[in-house]
Amino acid sequence: MRSPAVTSAPAQTPALSRALLAAFLLAVAADLVSLLAGADLGHRIAKPLLMPLLAAYAATRGAPKLLTAALLFGWGGDVFLLLDADWAFLVGMGSFAAGHVCYLVLFGRRRTSPLLGLGYAVALVGTVALLWPDLPAELRVPVAGYSLLLTAMAYRASSLGLAAGAGGALFLLSDTLIATGVADWPQLPAPDFWVMLTYLAAQYLLTTGVLKTEHGESR
């Protein structure tokens, strides 16, 4: 039986789906190569294309509307984080938070592992406690609240299987890397590359997991 949180439109032609997926992967490659090469213009052109292409691909596969909404809220976060301003960071974080709410509603009440939940809870408390002293004072509470929502999404994503669970974990990792940058911690070489690599993998795996569940439950 289909979960009441999952409703979808009829799937479109496979050829269109393949073309949109290819366009998404091409934009991913362009964005990641631009980040490695230090080509800021390439990143600014490619990044706003990523989530709309993935959302369009998902829609042609008969994706639930909540998945499309989550990806488009991710697009809003992507665009605002391109702006170098505190207000834009907060608006972008709010857009991502709205996307996480969409994911949480979409996941519904499917069962998840209590032990995994405990692991995520420990990771949340430990990470926030370590970051707290080094975060700007005005960002501490928003970052802590966002981290709670993100961790809940990552944990609940595991209810859809391995792909979605890995996507949730990678989303948590990606945003943790961003938070360490905000806290001015030492960074990996090309830090934006690793942030985008983990983020894009996360959104793709979440999309794959949701679509797999949708198709399986709709038979």
Side-chain angles (χ1 to χ4, degrees):
M1 179 180 295
R2 187 195 303 268
S3 167
V6 177
T7 57
S8 62
Q12 304 299 314
T13 63
L16 178 57
S17 294
R18 288 194 294 268
L20 287 166
L21 180 58
F24 167 70
L25 294 175
L26 181 61
V28 167
D31 189 55
L32 295 178
V33 169
S34 295
L35 288 171
L36 283 176
D40 187 62
L41 179 60
H43 172 60
R44 289 181 174 276
I45 292 173
K47 188 179 183 184
L49 300 176
L50 294 163
M51 289 306 106
L53 286 171
L54 185 57
Y57 161 73
T60 64
R61 292 285 312 280
K65 291 180 180 179
L66 282 170
L67 174 60
T68 305
L71 294 172
L72 292 179
F73 277 122
W75 170 72
D78 291 344
V79 171
F80 279 106
L81 290 189
L82 284 172
L83 305 176
D84 187 19
D86 289 345
W87 69 267
F89 179 82
L90 289 171
V91 173
M93 187 165 60
S95 189
F96 280 122
H100 296 324
V101 171
C102 291
Y103 276 128
L104 284 168
V105 175
L106 180 60
F107 298 155
R109 297 182 179 180
R110 295 176 178 85
R111 294 182 61 184
T112 48
S113 164
L115 186 59
L116 181 63
L118 177 61
Y120 270 120
V122 171
L124 170 65
V125 172
T127 301
V128 172
L130 289 170
L131 287 169
W132 186 273
D134 298 323
L135 289 171
E138 67 275 12
L139 293 181
R140 288 172 179 167
V141 172
V143 167
Y146 174 81
S147 298
L148 176 61
L149 183 59
L150 170 59
T151 304
M153 185 282 292
Y155 167 54
R156 294 293 301 140
S158 65
S159 67
L160 267 63
L162 183 59
L170 285 171
F171 213 133
L172 181 60
L173 174 59
S174 179
D175 280 6
T176 301
L177 291 174
I178 293 176
T180 62
V182 174
D184 203 25
W185 284 14
Q187 298 291 293
L188 295 168
D192 290 343
F193 169 82
W194 298 108
V195 168
M196 288 303 297
L197 177 64
T198 51
Y199 166 69
L200 293 171
Q203 292 282 40
Y204 177 75
L205 287 170
L206 285 166
T207 299
T208 298
V210 171
L211 290 176
K212 182 178 179 181
T213 300
E214 166 68 7
H215 293 165
E217 291 183 358
S218 62
R219 290 195 182 113

